[in-house]
Amino acid sequence: MNRTDRLYALVEELRAVSPRPRSARWLAARFEVSSRTIERDLGALQEAGVPIWAEPGRTGGYVLDRARTLPPVNLTAAEAVAMAVALHRLAGSPFAGPAATALRKLVAVLPAADAAEAHRLAAGCT
């Protein structure tokens, strides 16, 4: 499993058991990687704005705030480009910062083939 697929699977695993925590050790065994890799992945997801936090203690672990996330949304490449263009047009507005983070999240969750097709479509728009 590549990193992008694992990041997606991590979010879905945490969403499925929320509000119960999953330990880094448990997640590492589930995805057949080291605990350190899981911690790096969860850190990257947190930096991207995914509402994940750590619960300390013997029965603690990582938790996803289900109320602040959406289930997977399947977009076509053309829909992704349309969203990217709309978000990009918010540059210079009071919503420029949130639009930029939304765009990064959109790009991060696109499957590789869809991202490539979106780039191809976007290149044809210039």
Side-chain angles (χ1 to χ4, degrees):
M1 173 181 290
N2 67 38
R3 185 170 192 238
T4 302
D5 292 340
R6 188 174 61 248
L7 291 173
Y8 177 80
L10 274 168
V11 170
E12 290 310 304
E13 175 65 35
L14 293 174
R15 182 190 322 277
V17 299
S18 181
R20 295 184 317 270
R22 286 281 195 228
S23 70
R25 182 180 303 160
W26 190 95
L27 292 166
R30 165 76 173 80
F31 295 106
E32 299 177 348
V33 295
S34 70
S35 292
R36 181 66 188 122
T37 296
I38 291 296
E39 289 167 359
R40 276 193 301 267
D41 289 350
L42 291 169
L45 288 166
Q46 288 170 321
E47 286 179 26
V50 178
I52 294 173
W53 71 90
E55 291 213 356
R58 188 178 64 79
T59 60
Y62 292 94
V63 178
L64 176 88
D65 184 352
R66 215 176 185 177
R68 294 187 54 219
T69 63
L70 295 173
V73 177
N74 295 315
L75 300 172
T76 66
E79 290 167 336
V81 170
M83 288 182 70
V85 169
L87 290 167
H88 183 70
R89 291 189 55 106
L90 291 171
S93 79
F95 300 103
T101 58
L103 182 55
R104 282 194 297 276
K105 290 176 186 179
L106 173 64
V107 171
V109 299
L110 280 177
D114 290 341
E117 177 64 7
H119 282 292
R120 188 190 68 71
L121 289 169
C125 293
T126 59

